[in-house]
Amino acid sequence: MRFMMLIHHDEAALAAAPQKELWAEYGAFKEALAKAEGCAAGERLQPSSAATTVRRHDDKTEVLDGPYADTKEQFAGYFIVEAPSLDEAIVWAKRCPSSKYGSIEIRPIIDAQAGWKG
């Protein structure tokens, strides 16, 4: 089963982290992902200050500067893992360096071939 890991972290806490150590940890993490069959490194996003949110309600469109929700943690990026179970996906999430500075949301990816079975 494939899982998307959504990285949410406190941008201030991450900025205050020991950068050399953090990026060394990320290098090792990305190398482990590259070696694991079916896993894929994701993408890092620009800070939430670069975000734009679009909402539509009652045929009115709002375009807002900033992230989609008022929260301490910001959506920072993602990665994809192939794991036989949620428990194994949790192991990957715990290995992600950003888990020390926020949270990793795990979501199963719907198999497009199987279709939506909501």
Side-chain angles (χ1 to χ4, degrees):
M1 177 174 259
R2 291 182 339 135
F3 295 89
M4 177 175 259
M5 308 288 190
L6 304 163
I7 301 168
H8 299 271
H9 63 228
D10 180 327
E11 290 174 348
L14 192 68
Q19 297 299 300
K20 187 175 181 179
E21 180 181 315
L22 174 66
W23 298 117
E25 288 177 13
Y26 255 110
F29 179 68
K30 289 177 80 172
E31 187 175 311
L33 281 174
K35 290 179 181 176
E37 190 172 325
C39 295
E43 297 292 333
R44 183 176 176 207
L45 301 176
Q46 291 189 17
S48 62
S49 59
T52 300
T53 300
V54 176
R55 289 190 173 109
R56 283 190 54 193
H57 299 285
D58 301 325
D59 292 325
K60 292 180 185 175
T61 301
E62 289 181 285
V63 179
L64 309 166
D65 290 335
Y68 63 91
D70 185 20
T71 179
K72 182 178 148 187
E73 294 177 351
Q74 292 78 37
F75 179 53
Y78 67 93
F79 58 99
I80 306 289
V81 299
E82 178 77 34
S85 68
L86 176 58
D87 288 339
E88 290 295 318
I90 291 170
V91 170
W92 276 108
K94 289 179 0 183
R95 289 178 68 179
C96 179
S98 284
S99 65
K100 294 187 285 185
Y101 304 99
S103 61
I104 309 298
E105 178 182 342
I106 302 170
R107 291 212 196 164
I109 297 174
I110 294 172
D111 181 353
Q113 306 252 329
W116 175 255
K117 294 185 170 73

